[in-house]
Every structure is written in C-alpha cells, then in structure tokens.
C-alpha cells in the first residue's frame, strides 16, 4: 500500500478537503492517510446549532468551491448548519465618483457566493470524513511535527541488505524500504514514514519551514477588524466600500446578522477594538454611509457610458440598478478581533515527497475573500494529480508528478495574488487624478456588460482573467 501523510495545525479545511478528494476517487481509495493535528475539535460529532450569535471568522465560498463540497458529500452538512447565500453585490468608492453592482442574474446563476462560518466549513468536512472512515482516530495523530528527514541518494545507495550480517533479511528489507521515505518525528516520541508529506498547516507552516522552502512577501501597513453585527432587517447583499485607509465589507451571515471585515491602519484597528460597542456601531454606519464622502449619484457620464456600451452584447441585469445604502447596524454582537495583513508566496509548492497547499503556499489580501477558495482549489488539484499518478503506476511522491500540480496552481494563484495586490495599492492612495481613474474603472465595470460578466465569472471560480471579451 502507498501511504500519504498530511500535516496540519491551522488550516483544517485544506487538508480535510484533500483527504475527502483522495478518499472519493476510485484510484486513490487504497492510499493510507495519516493526519497530524493536535486540535481536540477533531473528536466533534455534532452539527453546530443555527441559533445563537454567528462567529466572527467567516469565509465567502464561491460556486466552484460549493461544487467541490457537493462532489464529496460535505455540502449537505453545511446546509444543516448556518450559512447565507447572496445574489447581489455592491462596490463603491468613498469619493462618490463611482459604484458598480453585480447580480447573479448577470451570468444566469442563482447566487454569487455563500458566506459560511469557518467552524461550519471545518465541522461539515469533519462530519463527512467521519462518515467515510469507520475509525477516524486510527488515522489522526493528536501531536505535533518536530522534524522531517528526507531520503538521500547516498543513504539509499549504502543500504545493502546482503552486506549486513547483523540484520535479518526481513528487517534489512524494511530498512531499505524506509530509506526511500520521509521520516517524520513527532512530539510524542513516535516516528512515521511516508511517501508524500503534504503541508496544509497555514501561513506559518511548520512543514514549509522545516523543509527550508523560501518565500517572498511583505506586510501591508494595514490590519483588519472582524466581528458580527446585527440589523433590524435581514441583509441579502454583499457590500464593500473603499475608504482612504482600506475597504470595509458587510457580508450577510444569515437571519439579521452580518459580518464586518474592515481594513485600516494598525493604530486605527487598536482604537476601534477598544471602542465601546455603541461607538463602534456608530463608526461602522458612518463608514458605510455618508462618512468620508458622498453617495455616488448618476451623472451625464453615466448616461453617456450606458448609451455607448448598450449595443455590446446583451445588457447585464445589474446595469440599470441604482446605488443603495447598506442596512444600518444596530449592535455589535461578537468579540472584535484584529489581525495584521500580509502577502506571502512560496518560491516552490513542491519538492520530492513534499507538497504545500493553501495558506502554507500563499496568503493574499482579504479584500475579495478569495484566500479560502484558492486553498480549496489547491487541494482539489493535488488530489487529481495524485490520482493521475496512481493510474499509471507512478510514485505519488515523485517530483515530476508533483510539479504538474505546482504548474497548474501557481499560475492561478499568482494571477489572483497580483490582482488583489494591485487593488490594494490602487485604493490605498488618495490622489485627485488617480481618483478619476478609479471612478472610470467603476463606471466600466458597471456599464460594460461583457467586462462585468467576466469579472463575475472570475470571482465565482472561472479562472479566465477578467478582461474585456
């Protein structure tokens, strides 16, 4: 039997989805999988109640990610727990010079995405995994990874069972076999051997650091405040406004609750975290309404652009939708959490007998909520490559095989990273001529229907670049 071992500490969903993909493919069902994770929540067996206050840590999953979940049978568990589909989105600039609205009907879909608490995503994948495995405890090692020892050519060449007078033939054969595997030393004193180690352990990946894989990146001069707020009415739209210090997003999470993701300077984040609940709610409503600048309004330029581009293909449903003011928050109902923002990208996703997925390989700015979807895409792509390798008898840890995964995912991830980093830089400068350029971009996204459809398709998981076509 082949054996694949996943190592995870933070990013549950990446390795859970990967295990599901491997377990659901006929060619890879026989692979033995081990999971190194000390989180006690792995023993959970219950659906999370829909009552109570939503957790402040949420993710916006795309239709492509939802399809992955449906394929492995995990989405039915999400549906039994709290989640919120949204079919509309509005994005606008604090200057009042432009806005754009998106509607799922623009691309013939029912929804643009779904906001799900992180704990619901993890719990749903875990419940599905427990359905597939009779004894999940047999594959979970509730401990930590201490070191990795990769096979070396010299050591393999020196292992000759026939020359060892002190080892039995069986023992020597086992030692020769292990000499071609990765040795994993665990904090509980045990050692494991694997053909493939997959680091799905978050942005501070222990696997990546132990393996010596270098990264490129930088810290943004920004932090993000996240929390849950309540409304008097239900919110069914995703809202995002670009402010001088960074974007603020209001995302529906079900019932009369919404999630706030507010990017600002580290000093502002500390101030907003320590505000009284009443002051914070007032600040949120100020940021989402008239604060920092006026509401966008129709102008002669809008009418001109609508007339100019009305003949290019079918007009998108949202082109004629007017600007709307988001629902006001009436209270903050969760802990306010603040965390610094950064960009990181690994020089390599793979080496012999090692692969990185998700945040272990790349982290991006959260302004479009794409980080989790990139990680899910990694997991699905790696599982597919492993299955293709097994189908032709390849070693699942072979570098040539793993590089196919890297080639596929690195291109997609670098493109998305560049787009998000570009947006961050474009909207972090308050300069008159640049403000006009930004306004023109909003007008183009609102009135050029083919461009609007491409942007929506790209954000929903179609990896075509959002260009005019």
């Amino acid at each position: 039997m082949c054996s694949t071992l996943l190592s995870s500490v933070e990013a549950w969903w990446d390795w859970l989805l990967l295990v599901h993909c491997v377990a659901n493919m006929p060619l890879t069902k026989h692979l033995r999988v081990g999971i190194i994770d000390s989180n006690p929540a792995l023993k959970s067996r219950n659906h999370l109640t829909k009552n109570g206050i939503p957790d402040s840590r949420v993710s916006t999953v795309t239709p492509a990610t939802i399809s992955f979940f449906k394929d492995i049978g995990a989405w039915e568990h999400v549906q039994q727990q709290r989640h919120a589909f949204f079919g509309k989105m509005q994005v606008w600039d604090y200057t009042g010079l432009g806005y754009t609205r998106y509607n799922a009907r623009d691309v013939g879909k029912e929804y643009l995405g779904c906001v799900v608490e992180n704990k619901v995503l993890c719990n749903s994948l875990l419940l599905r995994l427990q359905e597939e495995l009779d004894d999940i405890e047999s594959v979970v090692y509730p401990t930590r990874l201490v070191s990795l020892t990769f096979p070396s050519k010299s050591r393999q060449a020196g292992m000759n069972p026939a020359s060892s007078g002190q080892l039995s033939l069986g023992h020597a054969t086992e030692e020769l076999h292990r000499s071609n595997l990765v040795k994993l030393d665990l904090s509980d004193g045990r050692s494991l051997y694997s053909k493939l180690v997959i680091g799905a352990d978050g942005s501070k990946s222990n696997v990546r650091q132990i393996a010596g894989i270098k990264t490129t990146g930088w810290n943004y001069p920004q932090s993000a405040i996240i929390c849950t707020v309540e409304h008097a009415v239900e919110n069914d739209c995703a809202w995002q406004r670009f402010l001088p210090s960074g974007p603020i997003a209001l995302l529906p999470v079900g019932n009369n609750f919404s999630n706030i993701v507010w990017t600002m300077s580290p000093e502002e984040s500390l101030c907003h975290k320590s505000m009284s609940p009443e002051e914070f709610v007032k600040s949120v409503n100020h940021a989402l309404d008239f604060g920092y600048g006026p509401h966008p309004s129709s102008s002669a330029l809008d009418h001109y652009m609508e007339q100019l581009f009305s003949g290019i293909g079918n007009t998108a449903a949202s082109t004629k939708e007017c600007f709307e003011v988001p629902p006001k928050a009436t209270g903050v109902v969760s802990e306010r959490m603040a965390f610094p923002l950064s960009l990181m990208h690994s020089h390599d996703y793979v080496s012999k007998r090692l692969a990185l997925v998700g945040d272990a390989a790349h982290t991006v700015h959260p302004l479009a909520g794409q980080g989790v979807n990139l990680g899910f895409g990694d997991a699905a792509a790696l599982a597919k490559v492993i299955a293709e390798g097994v189908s032709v008898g390849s070693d699942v840890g072979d570098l040539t095989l793993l590089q196919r995964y890297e080639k596929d995912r690195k291109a997609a991830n670098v493109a998305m990273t560049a787009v998000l980093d570009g947006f961050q830089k474009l909207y972090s400068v308050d300069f008159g001529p640049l403000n006009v350029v930004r306004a023109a971009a909003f007008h183009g996204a609102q009135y050029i229907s083919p461009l609007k459809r491409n942007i929506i398709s790209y954000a929903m998981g179609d990896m075509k670049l959002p260009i005019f076509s």
Side-chain angles (χ1 to χ4, degrees):
M1 265 190 182
C2 298
S3 67
T4 302
L5 191 140
L6 313 184
S7 177
S8 174
V9 177
E10 303 171 1
W12 272 34
W13 42 56
D14 293 330
W15 68 254
L16 281 169
L17 183 63
L18 183 57
V19 171
H20 281 297
C21 290
V22 171
N24 277 272
M25 292 179 177
L27 290 169
T28 57
K29 282 185 175 181
H30 68 284
L31 297 180
R32 288 188 290 125
V33 178
I35 302 165
I36 301 174
D37 198 316
S38 57
N39 196 316
L42 275 169
K43 298 180 181 179
S44 171
R45 291 289 195 282
N46 301 313
H47 284 100
L48 300 171
T49 176
K50 291 184 178 181
N51 300 323
I53 304 301
D55 192 78
S56 58
R57 289 163 293 191
V58 306
S59 294
T60 303
V61 293
T62 64
T65 293
I66 292 171
S67 293
F68 291 150
F69 271 64
K70 288 180 177 179
D71 289 343
I72 63 176
W75 190 249
E76 61 186 56
H77 292 295
V78 174
Q79 291 177 307
Q80 296 177 50
Q81 301 172 86
R82 183 164 37 217
H83 62 287
F85 288 100
F86 61 93
K88 298 180 294 181
M89 183 174 184
Q90 177 176 287
V91 185
W92 72 107
D93 188 59
Y94 70 92
T95 62
L97 295 176
Y99 77 96
T100 185
R101 289 181 63 87
Y102 301 103
N103 195 308
R105 291 178 299 159
D106 293 338
V107 289
K109 302 293 183 181
E110 296 182 4
Y111 54 85
L112 296 173
C114 186
V115 181
V116 190
E117 293 161 74
N118 291 354
K119 64 182 182 181
V120 170
L121 287 174
C122 293
N123 193 52
S124 299
L125 288 166
L126 184 58
L127 287 167
R128 181 58 183 145
L129 185 61
Q130 289 166 346
E131 291 174 348
E132 295 169 349
L133 299 176
D134 295 331
D135 183 14
I136 188 173
E137 283 80 7
S138 65
V139 300
V140 175
Y141 296 81
T143 183
R144 293 180 298 103
L145 177 67
V146 174
S147 66
L148 291 170
T149 304
F150 290 90
S152 63
K153 292 181 179 180
S154 59
R155 187 178 64 178
Q156 293 173 45
M159 290 296 295
N160 185 351
S163 64
S164 177
Q166 297 180 345
L167 295 175
S168 67
L169 181 59
H171 192 179
T173 302
E174 181 182 355
E175 287 296 312
L176 179 61
H177 173 67
R178 285 186 171 182
S179 72
N180 195 37
L181 304 178
V182 184
K183 181 185 178 186
L184 300 100
D185 293 316
L186 309 181
S187 59
D188 62 6
R190 285 182 290 181
S191 294
L192 302 176
Y193 293 84
S194 177
K195 283 189 174 183
L196 176 61
V197 176
I198 301 174
D201 49 342
S203 60
K204 298 179 181 178
S205 172
N206 189 34
V207 173
R208 186 187 69 234
Q209 293 175 19
I210 292 175
I213 295 178
K214 297 184 181 301
T215 64
T216 295
W218 49 82
N219 296 322
Y220 291 111
Q222 296 173 320
S223 292
I225 286 274
I226 61 171
C227 64
T228 303
V229 296
E230 191 171 16
H231 309 286
V233 296
E234 186 169 359
N235 177 27
D236 62 353
C237 179
W239 312 83
Q240 186 170 54
R241 187 186 189 195
F242 284 93
L243 304 176
S245 59
I248 180 172
L250 183 74
L251 307 172
V253 291
N255 299 325
N256 289 12
F257 297 110
S258 289
N259 180 260
I260 291 285
V261 183
W262 192 352
T263 301
M264 57 186 70
S265 71
E267 295 76 21
E268 288 176 313
S269 70
L270 292 175
C271 177
H272 280 77
K273 190 177 179 183
S274 61
M275 282 180 178
S276 69
E278 294 76 17
E279 288 177 323
F280 182 77
V281 168
K282 183 178 179 180
S283 185
V284 165
N285 289 330
H286 180 74
L288 287 168
D289 201 341
F290 273 114
Y292 305 95
H295 293 161
S297 58
S298 297
S299 65
L301 177 61
D302 297 334
H303 179 73
Y304 173 75
M305 292 193 71
E306 186 175 355
Q307 294 298 315
L308 179 64
F309 295 107
S310 61
I312 303 178
N314 297 325
T315 302
S318 60
T319 297
K320 296 183 180 297
E321 292 182 6
C322 297
F323 174 85
E324 293 183 16
V325 179
K328 289 188 178 298
T330 57
V332 56
V333 293
S334 75
E335 176 189 4
R336 278 164 277 169
M337 304 175 66
F339 56 93
L341 303 182
S342 63
L343 177 149
M344 183 277 295
H345 196 268
S346 296
H347 292 184
D348 301 299
Y349 288 12
V350 301
S351 62
K352 186 173 182 180
R353 305 213 175 283
L354 176 74
L356 302 176
V357 298
D359 284 358
H362 45 78
T363 59
V364 296
H365 196 286
L367 67 85
Q370 288 295 326
V372 64
N373 297 293
L374 294 179
F376 285 144
D378 290 349
L382 180 56
K384 180 181 178 182
V385 166
I386 291 172
E388 290 172 350
V390 171
S391 70
V392 295
S394 296
D395 182 339
V396 296
D398 180 69
L399 180 58
T400 302
L401 176 68
L402 297 175
Q403 284 174 334
R404 288 160 53 188
Y405 152 73
E406 179 181 71
K407 181 179 179 181
D408 175 27
R409 292 306 300 165
K410 185 177 281 189
N413 294 334
V414 166
M416 180 62 78
T417 299
V419 168
L420 298 180
D421 186 60
F423 268 103
Q424 188 277 332
K425 288 178 168 56
L426 179 65
Y427 287 96
S428 62
V429 178
D430 186 11
F431 178 60
L434 187 58
N435 293 345
V436 174
V437 172
R438 292 201 303 249
F442 274 114
H443 284 293
Q446 177 66 0
Y447 294 107
I448 305 176
S449 293
L451 174 62
K452 172 174 285 193
R453 292 192 184 94
N454 266 332
I455 292 173
I456 295 174
S457 295
Y458 185 70
M460 291 173 67
D462 183 343
M463 298 317 292
K464 292 186 300 183
L465 287 174
I467 58 175
F468 180 82
S469 63

